[in-house]
PDB file of all heavy atoms in Angstrom:
ATOM      1  N   THR D 120       7.959  56.446 -46.302  1.00 87.00           N
ATOM      2  CA  THR D 120       9.172  56.408 -45.392  1.00 87.00           C
ATOM      3  C   THR D 120       9.345  55.266 -44.678  1.00 87.00           C
ATOM      4  O   THR D 120       9.891  55.311 -43.522  1.00 87.00           O
ATOM      5  CB  THR D 120       9.044  57.699 -44.465  1.00 87.00           C
ATOM      6  OG1 THR D 120       7.868  57.642 -43.699  1.00 87.00           O
ATOM      7  CG2 THR D 120       9.178  58.993 -45.277  1.00 87.00           C
ATOM      8  N   GLY D 121       8.832  54.130 -45.063  1.00 87.00           N
ATOM      9  CA  GLY D 121       8.888  52.838 -44.248  1.00 87.00           C
ATOM     10  C   GLY D 121       7.620  52.592 -43.619  1.00 87.00           C
ATOM     11  O   GLY D 121       6.596  53.269 -43.830  1.00 87.00           O
ATOM     12  N   CYS D 122       7.679  51.515 -42.842  1.00 90.00           N
ATOM     13  CA  CYS D 122       6.389  51.094 -42.070  1.00 90.00           C
ATOM     14  C   CYS D 122       6.868  50.753 -40.624  1.00 90.00           C
ATOM     15  O   CYS D 122       7.882  50.349 -40.267  1.00 90.00           O
ATOM     16  CB  CYS D 122       5.840  49.909 -42.780  1.00 90.00           C
ATOM     17  SG  CYS D 122       6.866  48.562 -43.081  1.00 90.00           S
ATOM     18  N   SER D 123       5.895  50.861 -39.795  1.00 91.00           N
ATOM     19  CA  SER D 123       6.128  50.482 -38.372  1.00 91.00           C
ATOM     20  C   SER D 123       6.177  49.132 -38.055  1.00 91.00           C
ATOM     21  O   SER D 123       5.861  48.194 -38.932  1.00 91.00           O
ATOM     22  CB  SER D 123       4.881  51.199 -37.504  1.00 91.00           C
ATOM     23  OG  SER D 123       3.732  50.394 -37.800  1.00 91.00           O
ATOM     24  N   ARG D 124       6.687  48.746 -36.817  1.00 89.00           N
ATOM     25  CA  ARG D 124       6.719  47.331 -36.411  1.00 89.00           C
ATOM     26  C   ARG D 124       5.340  46.651 -36.345  1.00 89.00           C
ATOM     27  O   ARG D 124       5.221  45.477 -36.570  1.00 89.00           O
ATOM     28  CB  ARG D 124       7.447  47.218 -35.110  1.00 89.00           C
ATOM     29  CG  ARG D 124       6.747  47.770 -33.917  1.00 89.00           C
ATOM     30  CD  ARG D 124       7.595  47.780 -32.595  1.00 89.00           C
ATOM     31  NE  ARG D 124       8.638  48.722 -32.726  1.00 89.00           N
ATOM     32  CZ  ARG D 124       9.710  48.742 -31.869  1.00 89.00           C
ATOM     33  NH1 ARG D 124       9.775  47.916 -30.970  1.00 89.00           N
ATOM     34  NH2 ARG D 124      10.673  49.626 -31.982  1.00 89.00           N
ATOM     35  N   VAL D 125       4.337  47.460 -36.058  1.00 92.00           N
ATOM     36  CA  VAL D 125       2.971  46.895 -35.979  1.00 92.00           C
ATOM     37  C   VAL D 125       2.643  46.485 -37.428  1.00 92.00           C
ATOM     38  O   VAL D 125       1.967  45.384 -37.609  1.00 92.00           O
ATOM     39  CB  VAL D 125       1.989  47.942 -35.392  1.00 92.00           C
ATOM     40  CG1 VAL D 125       0.580  47.341 -35.449  1.00 92.00           C
ATOM     41  CG2 VAL D 125       2.489  48.356 -33.965  1.00 92.00           C
ATOM     42  N   THR D 126       2.871  47.266 -38.425  1.00 92.00           N
ATOM     43  CA  THR D 126       2.505  46.981 -39.724  1.00 92.00           C
ATOM     44  C   THR D 126       3.329  45.649 -40.241  1.00 92.00           C
ATOM     45  O   THR D 126       2.722  44.781 -40.905  1.00 92.00           O
ATOM     46  CB  THR D 126       2.886  48.067 -40.706  1.00 92.00           C
ATOM     47  OG1 THR D 126       2.039  49.251 -40.269  1.00 92.00           O
ATOM     48  CG2 THR D 126       2.530  47.807 -42.100  1.00 92.00           C
ATOM     49  N   VAL D 127       4.622  45.684 -39.882  1.00 90.00           N
ATOM     50  CA  VAL D 127       5.446  44.502 -40.324  1.00 90.00           C
ATOM     51  C   VAL D 127       4.924  43.238 -39.579  1.00 90.00           C
ATOM     52  O   VAL D 127       4.629  42.267 -40.301  1.00 90.00           O
ATOM     53  CB  VAL D 127       6.880  44.794 -39.938  1.00 90.00           C
ATOM     54  CG1 VAL D 127       7.723  43.493 -40.103  1.00 90.00           C
ATOM     55  CG2 VAL D 127       7.508  45.887 -40.695  1.00 90.00           C
ATOM     56  N   ALA D 128       4.507  43.348 -38.369  1.00 90.00           N
ATOM     57  CA  ALA D 128       4.004  42.152 -37.686  1.00 90.00           C
ATOM     58  C   ALA D 128       2.749  41.615 -38.386  1.00 90.00           C
ATOM     59  O   ALA D 128       2.542  40.454 -38.384  1.00 90.00           O
ATOM     60  CB  ALA D 128       3.775  42.511 -36.172  1.00 90.00           C
ATOM     61  N   ALA D 129       1.870  42.545 -38.725  1.00 92.00           N
ATOM     62  CA  ALA D 129       0.676  42.081 -39.432  1.00 92.00           C
ATOM     63  C   ALA D 129       0.943  41.469 -40.754  1.00 92.00           C
ATOM     64  O   ALA D 129       0.425  40.358 -41.079  1.00 92.00           O
ATOM     65  CB  ALA D 129      -0.261  43.340 -39.606  1.00 92.00           C
ATOM     66  N   GLU D 130       1.962  42.004 -41.492  1.00 90.00           N
ATOM     67  CA  GLU D 130       2.249  41.409 -42.792  1.00 90.00           C
ATOM     68  C   GLU D 130       2.951  40.012 -42.522  1.00 90.00           C
ATOM     69  O   GLU D 130       2.725  39.099 -43.267  1.00 90.00           O
ATOM     70  CB  GLU D 130       3.227  42.370 -43.565  1.00 90.00           C
ATOM     71  CG  GLU D 130       2.639  43.709 -43.937  1.00 90.00           C
ATOM     72  CD  GLU D 130       1.622  43.420 -45.112  1.00 90.00           C
ATOM     73  OE1 GLU D 130       1.639  42.340 -45.757  1.00 90.00           O
ATOM     74  OE2 GLU D 130       0.815  44.298 -45.379  1.00 90.00           O
ATOM     75  N   VAL D 131       3.788  39.841 -41.587  1.00 88.00           N
ATOM     76  CA  VAL D 131       4.437  38.585 -41.170  1.00 88.00           C
ATOM     77  C   VAL D 131       3.355  37.638 -40.940  1.00 88.00           C
ATOM     78  O   VAL D 131       3.475  36.343 -41.265  1.00 88.00           O
ATOM     79  CB  VAL D 131       5.423  38.749 -40.067  1.00 88.00           C
ATOM     80  CG1 VAL D 131       5.931  37.312 -39.574  1.00 88.00           C
ATOM     81  CG2 VAL D 131       6.649  39.560 -40.547  1.00 88.00           C
ATOM     82  N   THR D 132       2.290  37.959 -40.215  1.00 90.00           N
ATOM     83  CA  THR D 132       1.245  37.109 -39.837  1.00 90.00           C
ATOM     84  C   THR D 132       0.618  36.516 -41.182  1.00 90.00           C
ATOM     85  O   THR D 132       0.289  35.269 -41.340  1.00 90.00           O
ATOM     86  CB  THR D 132       0.108  37.772 -39.073  1.00 90.00           C
ATOM     87  OG1 THR D 132       0.733  38.133 -37.775  1.00 90.00           O
ATOM     88  CG2 THR D 132      -0.982  36.788 -38.688  1.00 90.00           C
ATOM     89  N   HIS D 133       0.409  37.418 -42.155  1.00 92.00           N
ATOM     90  CA  HIS D 133      -0.196  36.953 -43.430  1.00 92.00           C
ATOM     91  C   HIS D 133       0.822  35.973 -44.227  1.00 92.00           C
ATOM     92  O   HIS D 133       0.423  35.021 -44.714  1.00 92.00           O
ATOM     93  CB  HIS D 133      -0.442  38.238 -44.375  1.00 92.00           C
ATOM     94  CG  HIS D 133      -1.521  39.158 -43.780  1.00 92.00           C
ATOM     95  ND1 HIS D 133      -1.601  40.471 -43.999  1.00 92.00           N
ATOM     96  CD2 HIS D 133      -2.573  38.764 -42.877  1.00 92.00           C
ATOM     97  CE1 HIS D 133      -2.622  40.959 -43.337  1.00 92.00           C
ATOM     98  NE2 HIS D 133      -3.231  39.955 -42.778  1.00 92.00           N
ATOM     99  N   LEU D 134       2.104  36.356 -44.165  1.00 90.00           N
ATOM    100  CA  LEU D 134       3.154  35.524 -44.751  1.00 90.00           C
ATOM    101  C   LEU D 134       3.120  34.127 -44.097  1.00 90.00           C
ATOM    102  O   LEU D 134       3.224  32.955 -44.834  1.00 90.00           O
ATOM    103  CB  LEU D 134       4.494  36.125 -44.726  1.00 90.00           C
ATOM    104  CG  LEU D 134       4.692  37.394 -45.582  1.00 90.00           C
ATOM    105  CD1 LEU D 134       6.055  38.059 -45.173  1.00 90.00           C
ATOM    106  CD2 LEU D 134       4.598  37.067 -47.029  1.00 90.00           C
ATOM    107  N   ALA D 135       2.982  34.113 -42.777  1.00 90.00           N
ATOM    108  CA  ALA D 135       2.967  32.797 -42.105  1.00 90.00           C
ATOM    109  C   ALA D 135       1.770  31.987 -42.470  1.00 90.00           C
ATOM    110  O   ALA D 135       1.968  30.799 -42.734  1.00 90.00           O
ATOM    111  CB  ALA D 135       3.037  33.043 -40.484  1.00 90.00           C
ATOM    112  N   ALA D 136       0.606  32.597 -42.646  1.00 91.00           N
ATOM    113  CA  ALA D 136      -0.561  31.864 -43.046  1.00 91.00           C
ATOM    114  C   ALA D 136      -0.408  31.301 -44.408  1.00 91.00           C
ATOM    115  O   ALA D 136      -0.775  30.224 -44.679  1.00 91.00           O
ATOM    116  CB  ALA D 136      -1.727  32.931 -43.021  1.00 91.00           C
ATOM    117  N   ARG D 137       0.312  32.041 -45.327  1.00 91.00           N
ATOM    118  CA  ARG D 137       0.494  31.467 -46.655  1.00 91.00           C
ATOM    119  C   ARG D 137       1.653  30.285 -46.556  1.00 91.00           C
ATOM    120  O   ARG D 137       1.414  29.342 -47.358  1.00 91.00           O
ATOM    121  CB  ARG D 137       1.177  32.552 -47.528  1.00 91.00           C
ATOM    122  CG  ARG D 137       0.126  33.631 -48.000  1.00 91.00           C
ATOM    123  CD  ARG D 137       0.743  34.839 -48.559  1.00 91.00           C
ATOM    124  NE  ARG D 137       1.505  34.546 -49.703  1.00 91.00           N
ATOM    125  CZ  ARG D 137       2.224  35.427 -50.426  1.00 91.00           C
ATOM    126  NH1 ARG D 137       2.262  36.650 -49.897  1.00 91.00           N
ATOM    127  NH2 ARG D 137       2.817  35.150 -51.496  1.00 91.00           N
TER     128      ARG D 137
END
Side-chain angles (χ1 to χ4, degrees):
T120 58
C122 51
S123 69
R124 68 185 69 194
V125 175
T126 301
V127 171
E130 292 291 340
V131 168
T132 298
H133 294 153
L134 290 173
R137 288 167 61 186

